[in-house]
Amino acid sequence: MAVPEIVLTSTRVVLTRPDDSLALMPATIIVSPVTGKIVSIFPQVLPRESFPPETPYQDYSPKLLIPGLVDAHVHLNEPGRTEWEGFNTGTQAAASGGVTTVVDMPLNAIPPTTTLNGFKEKLAASQGQCWVDVGFYGGVIPGNADELLPLVEAGVRGFKGFLIDSGVEEFPAVSAKDIALAMTTLKDTATTLMFHAEMLPPLAASVGDSVPQSAPPLKPHGELNSYETFLESRPPAFETSAVAEILSMAHLAPQLHLHIVHLSATECIPLLRDARQMGINITAETCFHYLGLASDSIADGDTRHKCCPPIRSQSNQDRLWEELADADGCIKTIVSDHSPCTPELKLLPAHLQTAYREGPRPAIRHFDSGIDVTLPKETATEGLATKQAAPLPAKPQGDFFAAWGGISSVGLGLPILFTTAAERLARGHSAPSITDIVRMCSQATARQVGLAHRKGGIKAGLDADICVFDDEAVWTLRAGDMRWKNRVSPWEGHTFRGRVHETWLRGAKVFAHGGERGGFVGGAPVGMAIVERRTE
């Protein structure tokens, strides 16, 4: 017997038109449960009586139906640092927030995805654990240029390199020579070459390229538990210097898509705009935390807010929003940069510590901000002679330089953007509509990673990845609402407007808020590893 099609409808659906523009309108979506694709769409709410009685039918009016988000910047950290995050918990968090595709960053896992063998280990670790579909980036590090094209053939969606110490030994920063070699190697390939764009500004032309790309940030002068001290140590010049370095070599690969990840400093925007006007194929992304959090209100010692590049001022945040509102702007996508760690490594003051799901875990030796932030019981220094290590104080809680940097937020993007946009409108500022949010978090992110033929829209022929969003729900994030492994986030205690009601992945409901088993429908993950070779 033929399997009946599934019908989802609402008075408010964000559809992708034939010209790829987006429109909010009533619609009825017909889904094949066999192929997982959208079969057809009618621009109206068709009643149940329009379909055979055995047809699964759901009218979600007046809730919003939007495409599942494509979060193109997520650190899942498995294998190797699975106590920080893993495929199971990380993709559960994504599903609970309407994210149906994540793209995993190559570092913080051990081994990193910088070799074909490392990629194979990553894929093996992902099997049977993913609640949403997962794509993968490869990494650019010194000496791995011969691995780049094999990784393209194996299906990675793009490559990332650091122009400053990444914080983990197995993923070192690249020099100008490494960048040039990566550009020439990938210049005729359908891929994206991405950069963590921070570096020390060159001291003089005679210094050469090894010092600015690898030295630690400025020596702090001020209280180490003061966010302002940390912010001063990574000024906008770190970002503008790195962007200028990348642009100086763009001529080596004129067709290659270059991309700046997690742009924070708005001083970079004129550089990127000018480059785009000159025909350089470069874009940038920013993150939920740069758009919803500001340094002006970060309390002393609240290391939940530490990330690199840092969260900057409210005025800087306002300029990011203005750039997003400009159709000709250089910031095309918004992502989470979900970068978790164990709560111990955040070195939270006692009043910010929470009861975590799985109890304490051992720390792993690592560096951040040029400082050895291994916990006191693991102070081994063998093999670290080239690092500028500094001893930890006896009680480093609240130290922004000793704490690990990273924000946990995968699955929170919709509430963050929807709430902040509403607050901006109330103050008389420009703010994105729901179609703008879909464009930057679904459509453009899918295009960025070469998945626009499958993901990022509600359109016949695409995967039936659908988020049901209740934009009237008001709720406050508590630790128990966090689905990622370690319940540490600066968003804890924030009240949001808008909450994901259901998430559908390729025609199957995978999450329902308030449902049994934590809302995870079916009891088993059905996400897939995306390893098709990129063609666009």
Side-chain angles (χ1 to χ4, degrees):
M1 296 179 61
V3 178
E5 292 174 330
I6 298 168
V7 177
L8 309 178
T9 187
S10 176
T11 53
R12 298 191 299 158
V13 183
V14 177
L15 297 179
T16 304
R17 292 176 168 140
D19 64 356
D20 280 344
S21 64
L22 300 172
L24 177 63
M25 62 194 328
T28 300
I29 306 164
I30 314 300
V31 174
S32 167
V34 176
T35 65
K37 301 286 187 181
I38 297 172
V39 176
S40 57
I41 298 172
F42 296 90
Q44 63 194 89
V45 175
L46 297 177
R48 181 184 291 274
E49 293 75 25
S50 302
F51 303 95
E54 69 276 10
T55 302
Y57 176 98
Q58 181 66 57
D59 184 350
Y60 289 104
S61 303
K63 295 180 177 66
L64 284 158
L65 300 187
I66 66 174
L69 273 63
V70 178
D71 192 339
H73 192 142
V74 175
H75 294 264
L76 293 175
N77 302 343
E78 188 171 3
R81 286 194 177 93
T82 312
E83 71 275 13
W84 292 18
E85 186 62 280
F87 286 103
N88 184 54
T89 49
T91 59
Q92 279 190 342
S96 71
V99 178
T100 49
T101 306
V102 300
V103 187
D104 175 71
M105 277 292 167
L107 75 158
N108 294 351
I110 304 174
T113 312
T114 53
T115 66
L116 187 58
N117 285 336
F119 186 34
K120 290 177 180 178
E121 288 193 47
K122 169 79 73 170
L123 289 175
S126 74
Q127 294 302 303
Q129 292 207 77
C130 299
W131 291 85
V132 301
D133 289 348
V134 180
F136 304 87
Y137 290 124
V140 175
I141 62 172
N144 82 324
D146 290 342
E147 296 280 353
L148 303 184
L149 293 180
L151 284 168
V152 169
E153 292 296 325
V156 301
R157 316 314 301 170
F159 295 89
K160 179 184 181 181
F162 275 72
L163 276 72
I164 199 167
D165 194 326
S166 72
V168 291
E169 294 172 279
E170 63 277 357
F171 204 96
V174 291
S175 68
K177 291 180 181 178
D178 300 315
I179 295 171
L181 184 55
M183 286 184 175
T184 55
T185 300
L186 297 170
K187 65 179 181 178
D188 298 319
T189 304
T191 194
T192 299
L193 181 57
M194 309 179 299
F195 299 95
H196 179 125
E198 284 186 290
M199 64 183 287
L200 285 180
L203 303 177
S206 62
V207 169
D209 125 315
S210 62
V211 173
Q213 63 86 20
S214 62
L218 300 173
K219 181 180 179 181
H221 34 92
E223 295 297 324
L224 301 186
N225 72 338
S226 166
Y227 189 78
E228 287 303 312
T229 304
F230 172 66
L231 183 59
E232 183 187 54
S233 77
R234 297 184 96 105
F238 274 40
E239 293 189 63
T240 55
S241 296
V243 169
E245 179 88 342
I246 294 157
L247 292 175
S248 72
M249 290 177 276
H251 65 279
L252 297 173
Q255 304 305 314
L256 181 63
H257 178 207
L258 306 176
H259 185 70
I260 306 301
V261 300
H262 49 51
L263 185 141
S264 167
T266 53
E267 288 84 351
C268 295
I269 290 173
L271 299 176
L272 294 169
R273 276 181 167 263
D274 289 347
R276 288 172 59 81
Q277 289 178 357
M278 291 188 294
I280 295 176
N281 184 13
I282 190 165
T283 56
E285 68 189 32
T286 193
C287 302
F288 306 129
H289 45 274
Y290 299 134
L291 295 171
L293 300 171
S295 62
D296 312 56
S297 57
I298 298 176
D300 287 352
D302 194 348
T303 51
R304 296 175 302 177
H305 292 81
K306 182 185 175 181
C307 59
C308 300
I311 295 164
R312 302 192 187 275
S313 67
Q314 183 62 57
S315 59
N316 184 85
Q317 182 194 114
D318 290 338
R319 290 193 293 273
L320 288 175
W321 281 103
E322 290 164 5
E323 183 69 8
L324 288 170
D326 189 336
D328 295 323
C330 60
I331 303 176
K332 300 299 184 183
T333 53
I334 310 174
V335 296
S336 69
D337 187 12
H338 176 68
S339 186
C341 66
T342 61
E344 296 85 356
L345 294 180
K346 273 296 185 184
L347 301 177
L348 295 173
H351 72 281
L352 293 177
Q353 295 176 12
T354 310
Y356 300 100
R357 182 187 309 174
E358 299 180 18
R361 284 159 295 277
I364 291 180
R365 188 178 66 206
H366 69 282
F367 285 78
D368 199 18
S369 302
I371 297 172
D372 184 352
V373 291
T374 305
L375 291 181
K377 290 182 180 179
E378 291 192 32
T379 54
T381 57
E382 52 272 12
L384 302 182
T386 61
K387 301 287 185 180
Q388 296 190 16
L392 283 174
K395 294 183 179 180
Q397 281 76 18
D399 183 333
F400 278 102
F401 289 83
W404 178 258
I407 304 286
S408 293
S409 64
V410 65
L412 278 184
L414 271 175
I416 291 169
L417 294 181
F418 197 81
T419 303
T420 310
E423 292 170 349
R424 286 182 58 80
L425 283 173
R427 297 195 301 267
H429 298 312
S430 63
S433 66
I434 188 64
T435 55
D436 294 326
I437 292 172
V438 167
R439 173 173 49 81
M440 293 182 286
C441 298
S442 299
Q443 185 183 58
T445 44
R447 185 180 300 120
Q448 176 183 311
V449 296
L451 290 174
H453 63 291
R454 288 181 53 183
K455 304 289 185 180
I458 296 179
K459 181 180 180 181
L462 299 186
D463 287 356
D465 295 350
I466 296 170
C467 167
V468 184
F469 187 59
D470 181 358
D471 58 339
E472 293 297 325
V474 177
W475 60 291
T476 300
L477 179 72
R478 305 299 182 194
D481 298 310
M482 301 177 193
R483 309 288 183 156
W484 45 79
K485 179 169 286 188
N486 295 292
R487 300 180 184 187
V488 180
S489 176
W491 296 107
E492 183 176 358
H494 283 247
T495 296
F496 297 108
R497 179 183 170 189
R499 189 166 198 168
V500 171
H501 179 68
E502 289 182 6
T503 304
W504 291 69
L505 175 67
R506 286 180 281 103
K509 186 191 300 185
V510 294
F511 175 78
H513 174 64
E516 297 179 358
R517 295 183 294 271
F520 296 99
V521 179
V526 295
M528 298 169 51
I530 299 174
V531 293
E532 63 183 60
R533 190 187 189 282
R534 183 169 175 173
T535 60
E536 57 183 356

